[in-house]
Amino acid sequence: MHNQLLVFAKLLLWAFNFLISLAAMGAIPTTLEGPFEPKTRRFDPSMRRGSIDLPMHDPRVRRNVTGNFPEQISLALSSHTSMWVSWVTGEAQIGTNVTELDPSSVGSEVWCGKESGNYTITKIGVSTVYSQLYPYEGLLNYTSGIIHHVRLEGLEPGTRYYYKCGDTSTPAMSVEHTFETLPLPGPNAYPRRIAVIGDLGLTHNSTTTINHVTLNDPSLILMVGDLTYANQYRTTGGEGASCFSCAFPEAPIRESYQPRWDGWGRFMEPLISKVPMMVIQGNHEIEPQAAGVTFKSYLTRFAVPSEESGSKSNFYYSFDAGGIHVIMLGAYEDYDTTSAQYAWLVKDLEKVNRDVTPWLVAAWHPPWYNSYSSHYQEFECMRQELEALLYQYGVDIVFSGHVHAYERMNRVYNYTLNPCGSVYITVGDGGNIEKVDVDHADDSGKCPKPMDNVPEIGPVCHLNFTSGPAKGKFCWDRQPEWSAFRESSFGHGILEVLNSTHALWTWHRNQDVFRDDVRGDRLYIVRQPELCTPVGQVIP
């Protein structure tokens, strides 16, 4: 009875919000009114371009548990009826000589139920550790605490659950936490709000971003790469740097101070222990170490539904969130037409039923469409390999980070305005230690050289435009027509899907956290299935 009342109350709230949104539609533009004239809001000179990192002794970052009590608790979606629960036990080690903990020494249990203190579901999971090793004198090695992943199965959609995690034999169980499962896939069922965050880091601006996200009460988080910026430090810790190569030119390798990962997990726990967070890797997750090993932190710390979505790699996967099918792609993994990722993507797109999940959303770290000088055309190769496929299957929205600014595009395909193209959005400034990007490639003297922006992994395919106002040029001489709005600011985005054709997108700037009447950018994204028929779909 309690769950029925809860569902009814949610339906009433959704209906109320929908009516409010409809009433406001006259004041908020829609993509039907586009393409829009390009607009730039210049960086506010009263704001700081940089951000100060939180120290490791900050109470939100330091270790506040003892023994094998769980910490860094987080959630991730697994399937319509299952949820991943992850956490860490034991102390990480950093030094010249480190010894890995024994994962089998601590159990991995989750107790779960629909009522507080009444746990009807008990699941056992797996545990592991990882190390970050450097064969260089003076560099410290690291080995993690024990990382646990448990898959909770048999859950009911749209239901609140209470859970504890840990090891009952020690005993060392966490306090009780709660989460709410998402609705089943369907054209009339959507998450309440989806927060989209890029390039977050662990700074004072990061705290503002996460406080702001928490106030917006999302039911799902998309984290589009560059999570901790642990690789802005030497292995000895100390002060981080906004530019590693500038501050530490003598470093024999791009080092990483791995305790920042643990601090980030503690900092994020209050939010992601109750709201599932779906991650994808960015360049700051590469973290090279001995024997050419990369991405060890990312691959070990996060549970993602790769196997559940038919992927054999945690670098790319997909999942459903009510009536939205979300595809997370790996920009630092092979993506050409002969790659495993491309083959998986084709199969995943072929399985999407737009009658069940009308919305198709994709996310990866570096943007394809970007008018800032920073990372300009850096992943043009990826665009050339994959854009036609995503266009054919009618991807509605694409989220990326990497560029430390905000930019929303007009609907575009192959650099040409197209009413059936995707809406590309860059949200690359959640609050990291690196500075806000303020220079545009079309500003006088700011066009990068063709070989400036080279990806850390992957080929280079820079090109001059072959048609349109910038024909024959590498950079436009004004804001490109496909760039609808751009602004240099810290913040996060919120996507609210209202029904099978309308979604409200909002950019929330950090400086507006306590100003309910101010938004950085707002737009209704409107699908037109009668105009744009994806491959394999028939519009009656």
Side-chain angles (χ1 to χ4, degrees), residues 221-263:
I221 299 167
L222 300 184
M223 187 70 68
V224 294
D226 284 3
L227 283 70
T228 70
Y229 287 78
N231 70 342
Q232 297 298 113
Y233 285 76
R234 302 298 300 263
T235 63
T236 49
E239 294 292 326
S242 59
C243 172
F244 183 91
S245 59
C246 307
F248 314 117
E250 78 287 359
I253 191 173
R254 181 63 179 265
E255 302 171 37
S256 177
Y257 184 58
Q258 288 291 300
R260 298 295 292 183
W261 276 97
D262 296 303

Side-chain angles (χ1 to χ4, degrees), residues 195-202 206 209-210 221-232 261 264 268 277-287 295 297-299 302 304 314-317 319 326-332 362-367 375 379 398-405 425-434 456 491-492 507:
V196 188
I197 310 171
D199 304 67
L200 181 61
L202 190 56
S206 308
T209 297
I210 294 305
I221 299 167
L222 300 184
M223 187 70 68
V224 294
D226 284 3
L227 283 70
T228 70
Y229 287 78
N231 70 342
Q232 297 298 113
W261 276 97
W264 193 85
M268 292 293 292
M277 177 182 69
M278 311 307 291
V279 301
I280 200 67
Q281 76 281 5
N283 57 300
H284 283 270
E285 278 73 69
I286 298 173
E287 297 185 322
F295 291 105
S297 309
Y298 168 83
L299 292 172
F302 299 103
V304 299
N314 282 15
F315 290 135
Y316 51 89
Y317 60 91
F319 60 92
V326 183
I327 298 171
M328 308 288 274
L329 296 181
Y332 304 93
W364 55 84
H365 183 58
H375 305 300
F379 274 77
V398 173
F399 293 115
S400 296
H402 201 42
V403 177
H404 297 163
I425 301 175
T426 301
V427 291
D429 217 351
N432 61 80
I433 192 174
E434 296 179 324
E456 288 159 275
H492 74 281
W507 172 243

Side-chain angles (χ1 to χ4, degrees), residues 11-145:
L11 286 173
L12 285 177
L13 181 61
W14 180 89
F16 175 76
N17 288 335
F18 180 61
L19 290 173
I20 293 296
S21 298
L22 286 178
M25 236 185 225
I28 301 174
T30 79
T31 50
L32 298 179
E33 301 165 41
F36 301 97
E37 285 295 316
K39 178 182 177 182
T40 297
R41 185 183 291 146
R42 292 286 176 176
F43 182 71
D44 184 345
S46 68
M47 307 289 292
R48 289 183 179 179
R49 280 190 60 195
S51 195
I52 301 171
D53 262 1
L54 291 177
M56 291 301 294
H57 59 76
D58 187 285
R60 294 163 291 187
V61 172
R62 69 183 181 221
R63 188 167 187 256
N64 294 314
V65 301
T66 58
N68 287 319
F69 278 89
E71 62 160 357
Q72 305 178 50
I73 301 168
S74 64
L75 302 171
L77 299 179
S78 172
S79 73
H80 311 146
T81 57
S82 57
M83 183 81 73
W84 284 107
V85 182
S86 304
W87 68 94
V88 178
T89 57
E91 289 198 61
Q93 303 166 49
I94 188 163
T96 53
N97 296 302
V98 294
T99 303
E100 289 189 349
L101 298 174
D102 178 7
S104 66
S105 64
V106 183
S108 306
E109 303 174 45
V110 175
W111 292 15
C112 182
K114 297 180 188 177
E115 297 177 1
S116 176
N118 184 13
Y119 308 117
T120 57
I121 301 172
T122 303
K123 295 293 181 181
I124 305 297
V126 298
S127 58
T128 187
V129 299
Y130 78 92
S131 294
Q132 186 82 11
L133 305 175
Y134 298 103
Y136 300 102
E137 184 178 352
L139 273 62
L140 302 183
N141 294 321
Y142 169 92
T143 185
S144 70

Side-chain angles (χ1 to χ4, degrees), residues 359-376:
W359 289 86
L360 185 52
V361 172
W364 55 84
H365 183 58
W368 294 348
Y369 290 94
N370 163 39
S371 66
Y372 285 80
S373 299
S374 180
H375 305 300
Y376 182 77

